Amino acid sequence: MKDCLFCRLAAGAGGPLLWENEDLSVFADINPAAKVHWLIVPKAHYENIIDLCSTEEGCELFRRFGEALPEIVAQAGLTESGFRLIVNCGRDGRQTVGHLHFHLLGGERLGVHV
Ligand code: 5GP
Ligand code: ZN
């Protein structure tokens, strides 16, 4: 999608990626909320999780995301210690970037959230 920040970053325009495969790119959040704060971003443009899960192709990508997750978590060094995986959606979910992304947070004991 034209003029989408995360389309550009997922394509590697922001520098080397932390992890990637055919479907997904991973890079560090610019404003980390934890010691480890990675963003897992589909290379294809989906606006949010509902957009993704509304098509067969998107559901299939979601399944492949699940398949890739253990490897990404291992790369982040969070397999033993644990982590939080967050996807914000829409206004009340405080999604600020309109290209679907999963927050992977860890590396320290996280606070309790709503
Ligand atoms: P959201 O609120 O949409 O779930 O999360 C957007 C996230 O993207 C925020 O945590 C924010 O810090 C991060 N972010 C915004 N702009 C950039 C950027 O240019 N580069 C990187 N690496 N992260 C960004
Ligand atoms: Zn995009």
Side-chain angles (χ1 to χ4, degrees):
M1 198 203 193
K2 218 171 155 255
D3 295 333
C4 170
L5 173 65
F6 276 17
C7 276
R8 287 200 301 277
L9 295 182
L17 298 164
L18 296 168
W19 188 96
E20 74 172 315
N21 69 6
E22 204 176 291
D23 301 314
L24 303 167
S25 294
V26 180
F27 49 85
D29 196 291
I30 203 171
N31 184 23
K35 277 192 183 145
V36 175
H37 187 169
W38 288 11
L39 298 172
I40 307 171
V41 183
K43 291 183 180 195
H45 184 91
Y46 291 93
E47 189 164 343
N48 58 42
I49 188 76
I50 295 300
D51 192 16
L52 181 79
C53 296
S54 296
T55 65
E56 209 168 299
E57 183 196 340
C59 284
E60 178 56 24
L61 175 54
F62 199 16
R63 193 193 63 75
R64 294 200 301 275
F65 163 81
E67 240 172 36
L69 187 62
E71 204 183 300
I72 299 168
V73 166
Q75 176 91 11
L78 303 178
T79 307
E80 297 304 320
S81 51
F83 59 90
R84 184 173 292 152
L85 186 66
I86 294 176
V87 57
N88 296 326
C89 185
R91 184 199 58 204
D92 284 358
R94 293 186 181 270
Q95 180 177 2
T96 59
V97 174
H99 176 132
L100 174 64
H101 49 282
F102 299 87
H103 298 257
L104 177 65
L105 296 155
E108 62 183 304
R109 191 63 63 93
L110 302 171
V112 177
H113 289 280
V114 189

Short mmCIF file of all heavy atoms in Angstrom, two decimals, residues 10 16 19 21 47-48 53 59 68-70 75-76 78-79 84 91 94 100-101 103 106-107 111-113:
data_model
loop_
_atom_site.label_atom_id
_atom_site.label_comp_id
_atom_site.label_asym_id
_atom_site.label_seq_id
_atom_site.Cartn_x
_atom_site.Cartn_y
_atom_site.Cartn_z
N ALA A 10 8.52 -2.96 6.81
CA ALA A 10 8.48 -4.42 6.62
C ALA A 10 9.28 -4.83 5.39
O ALA A 10 9.76 -5.96 5.29
CB ALA A 10 7.03 -4.91 6.51
N PRO A 16 18.31 -3.17 8.68
CA PRO A 16 18.23 -4.63 8.78
C PRO A 16 17.11 -5.08 9.72
O PRO A 16 16.90 -4.46 10.78
CB PRO A 16 19.60 -5.03 9.36
CG PRO A 16 20.48 -3.85 9.18
CD PRO A 16 19.61 -2.64 9.10
N TRP A 19 14.30 -10.34 12.16
CA TRP A 19 13.89 -11.69 11.72
C TRP A 19 12.97 -11.48 10.53
O TRP A 19 12.25 -10.47 10.49
CB TRP A 19 13.13 -12.39 12.86
CG TRP A 19 12.82 -13.83 12.62
CD1 TRP A 19 13.55 -14.91 13.06
CD2 TRP A 19 11.67 -14.38 11.93
NE1 TRP A 19 12.95 -16.07 12.66
CE2 TRP A 19 11.80 -15.78 11.97
CE3 TRP A 19 10.57 -13.83 11.28
CZ2 TRP A 19 10.86 -16.64 11.40
CZ3 TRP A 19 9.64 -14.67 10.70
CH2 TRP A 19 9.78 -16.06 10.76
N ASN A 21 10.67 -13.85 7.27
CA ASN A 21 10.46 -14.96 6.35
C ASN A 21 9.64 -14.41 5.19
O ASN A 21 9.53 -13.18 5.02
CB ASN A 21 9.83 -16.18 7.05
CG ASN A 21 8.39 -15.95 7.49
OD1 ASN A 21 7.80 -14.92 7.18
ND2 ASN A 21 7.83 -16.92 8.18
N GLU A 47 -5.08 -3.89 7.43
CA GLU A 47 -5.21 -2.75 8.33
C GLU A 47 -5.22 -3.17 9.80
O GLU A 47 -4.62 -2.52 10.65
CB GLU A 47 -6.49 -1.97 7.99
CG GLU A 47 -6.55 -0.68 8.77
CD GLU A 47 -7.58 0.29 8.21
OE1 GLU A 47 -8.01 0.10 7.06
OE2 GLU A 47 -7.93 1.22 8.94
N ASN A 48 -5.91 -4.25 10.07
CA ASN A 48 -6.00 -4.70 11.47
C ASN A 48 -6.32 -6.20 11.50
O ASN A 48 -6.43 -6.84 10.46
CB ASN A 48 -7.04 -3.87 12.25
CG ASN A 48 -8.42 -3.97 11.60
OD1 ASN A 48 -8.85 -5.04 11.19
ND2 ASN A 48 -9.12 -2.84 11.50
N CYS A 53 -8.45 -11.48 9.40
CA CYS A 53 -9.24 -12.70 9.63
C CYS A 53 -10.54 -12.71 8.84
O CYS A 53 -11.35 -13.62 9.01
CB CYS A 53 -9.50 -12.86 11.12
SG CYS A 53 -7.98 -13.13 12.06
N CYS A 59 -6.60 -15.58 6.87
CA CYS A 59 -6.64 -16.62 7.90
C CYS A 59 -5.47 -17.58 7.74
O CYS A 59 -4.88 -18.03 8.73
CB CYS A 59 -7.95 -17.41 7.83
SG CYS A 59 -9.34 -16.51 8.48
N ALA A 68 5.29 -19.59 12.78
CA ALA A 68 6.58 -18.88 12.87
C ALA A 68 6.87 -18.40 14.30
O ALA A 68 8.03 -18.16 14.66
CB ALA A 68 6.58 -17.68 11.92
N LEU A 69 5.82 -18.24 15.10
CA LEU A 69 5.97 -17.58 16.40
C LEU A 69 7.05 -18.20 17.30
O LEU A 69 7.88 -17.46 17.86
CB LEU A 69 4.61 -17.51 17.11
CG LEU A 69 4.60 -16.71 18.41
CD1 LEU A 69 4.97 -15.24 18.17
CD2 LEU A 69 3.23 -16.80 19.08
N PRO A 70 7.10 -19.53 17.46
CA PRO A 70 8.12 -20.09 18.36
C PRO A 70 9.54 -19.70 17.94
O PRO A 70 10.40 -19.46 18.81
CB PRO A 70 7.91 -21.61 18.23
CG PRO A 70 6.49 -21.76 17.82
CD PRO A 70 6.18 -20.57 16.94
N GLN A 75 14.32 -16.38 18.94
CA GLN A 75 15.29 -15.38 18.46
C GLN A 75 15.37 -14.21 19.43
O GLN A 75 16.43 -13.62 19.65
CB GLN A 75 14.86 -14.90 17.07
CG GLN A 75 15.71 -13.80 16.48
CD GLN A 75 16.86 -14.34 15.63
OE1 GLN A 75 16.89 -15.52 15.34
NE2 GLN A 75 17.76 -13.49 15.28
N ALA A 76 14.24 -13.87 20.03
CA ALA A 76 14.19 -12.77 21.00
C ALA A 76 14.72 -13.20 22.37
O ALA A 76 14.87 -12.37 23.27
CB ALA A 76 12.75 -12.25 21.13
N LEU A 78 13.19 -15.28 24.49
CA LEU A 78 12.08 -15.23 25.46
C LEU A 78 11.41 -16.58 25.70
O LEU A 78 10.41 -16.66 26.42
CB LEU A 78 11.02 -14.23 24.97
CG LEU A 78 11.51 -12.79 24.72
CD1 LEU A 78 10.37 -11.93 24.20
CD2 LEU A 78 12.10 -12.19 25.99
N THR A 79 11.96 -17.64 25.12
CA THR A 79 11.29 -18.94 25.20
C THR A 79 11.11 -19.38 26.66
O THR A 79 10.02 -19.83 27.05
CB THR A 79 12.08 -20.00 24.42
OG1 THR A 79 12.30 -19.52 23.08
CG2 THR A 79 11.34 -21.33 24.37
N ARG A 84 4.69 -11.33 26.41
CA ARG A 84 3.30 -10.94 26.15
C ARG A 84 3.19 -10.60 24.67
O ARG A 84 4.06 -9.91 24.12
CB ARG A 84 2.93 -9.74 27.03
CG ARG A 84 1.49 -9.30 26.91
CD ARG A 84 1.16 -8.22 27.92
NE ARG A 84 1.19 -8.72 29.29
CZ ARG A 84 1.48 -7.97 30.36
NH1 ARG A 84 1.75 -6.70 30.23
NH2 ARG A 84 1.49 -8.51 31.57
N ARG A 91 -9.95 2.32 17.77
CA ARG A 91 -9.82 3.46 18.69
C ARG A 91 -9.62 3.03 20.13
O ARG A 91 -8.64 3.40 20.77
CB ARG A 91 -11.06 4.36 18.56
CG ARG A 91 -11.01 5.61 19.39
CD ARG A 91 -12.41 6.19 19.59
NE ARG A 91 -13.28 5.21 20.24
CZ ARG A 91 -14.61 5.20 20.15
NH1 ARG A 91 -15.23 6.11 19.43
NH2 ARG A 91 -15.32 4.27 20.77
N ARG A 94 -6.52 1.43 20.98
CA ARG A 94 -5.40 2.37 20.81
C ARG A 94 -4.41 1.93 19.73
O ARG A 94 -3.20 2.02 19.90
CB ARG A 94 -4.65 2.59 22.15
CG ARG A 94 -5.50 3.31 23.18
CD ARG A 94 -4.66 3.64 24.41
NE ARG A 94 -5.45 4.32 25.44
CZ ARG A 94 -5.60 5.64 25.52
NH1 ARG A 94 -5.02 6.43 24.66
NH2 ARG A 94 -6.33 6.16 26.48
N LEU A 100 -1.48 -3.82 10.33
CA LEU A 100 -1.48 -4.82 11.40
C LEU A 100 -0.07 -5.14 11.91
O LEU A 100 0.85 -5.35 11.12
CB LEU A 100 -2.12 -6.11 10.85
CG LEU A 100 -2.08 -7.32 11.79
CD1 LEU A 100 -2.90 -7.06 13.05
CD2 LEU A 100 -2.57 -8.56 11.06
N HIS A 101 0.05 -5.19 13.22
CA HIS A 101 1.33 -5.58 13.83
C HIS A 101 1.05 -6.21 15.18
O HIS A 101 0.09 -5.85 15.86
CB HIS A 101 2.26 -4.37 13.98
CG HIS A 101 1.60 -3.19 14.62
ND1 HIS A 101 0.75 -2.35 13.94
CD2 HIS A 101 1.65 -2.74 15.89
CE1 HIS A 101 0.31 -1.42 14.77
NE2 HIS A 101 0.83 -1.64 15.96
N HIS A 103 2.68 -6.88 18.89
CA HIS A 103 3.74 -6.46 19.82
C HIS A 103 4.22 -7.69 20.59
O HIS A 103 3.41 -8.39 21.20
CB HIS A 103 3.19 -5.46 20.85
CG HIS A 103 2.68 -4.17 20.27
ND1 HIS A 103 3.40 -3.00 20.32
CD2 HIS A 103 1.53 -3.86 19.63
CE1 HIS A 103 2.71 -2.02 19.75
NE2 HIS A 103 1.56 -2.53 19.32
N GLY A 106 8.82 -8.46 26.38
CA GLY A 106 9.40 -9.34 27.40
C GLY A 106 10.76 -8.84 27.83
O GLY A 106 11.07 -7.66 27.70
N GLY A 107 11.56 -9.76 28.34
CA GLY A 107 12.90 -9.42 28.80
C GLY A 107 12.92 -8.89 30.21
O GLY A 107 13.99 -8.55 30.74
N GLY A 111 4.28 -5.34 33.83
CA GLY A 111 3.21 -4.92 34.72
C GLY A 111 1.88 -5.58 34.34
O GLY A 111 1.76 -6.18 33.28
N VAL A 112 0.91 -5.42 35.22
CA VAL A 112 -0.42 -5.98 34.97
C VAL A 112 -1.22 -4.95 34.19
O VAL A 112 -1.25 -3.77 34.57
CB VAL A 112 -1.14 -6.32 36.28
CG1 VAL A 112 -2.54 -6.84 36.01
CG2 VAL A 112 -0.32 -7.32 37.06
N HIS A 113 -1.85 -5.37 33.10
CA HIS A 113 -2.61 -4.43 32.27
C HIS A 113 -4.09 -4.78 32.32
O HIS A 113 -4.48 -5.87 32.72
CB HIS A 113 -2.11 -4.47 30.83
CG HIS A 113 -0.75 -3.85 30.69
ND1 HIS A 113 -0.56 -2.50 30.62
CD2 HIS A 113 0.48 -4.41 30.64
CE1 HIS A 113 0.74 -2.25 30.52
NE2 HIS A 113 1.38 -3.39 30.54
#
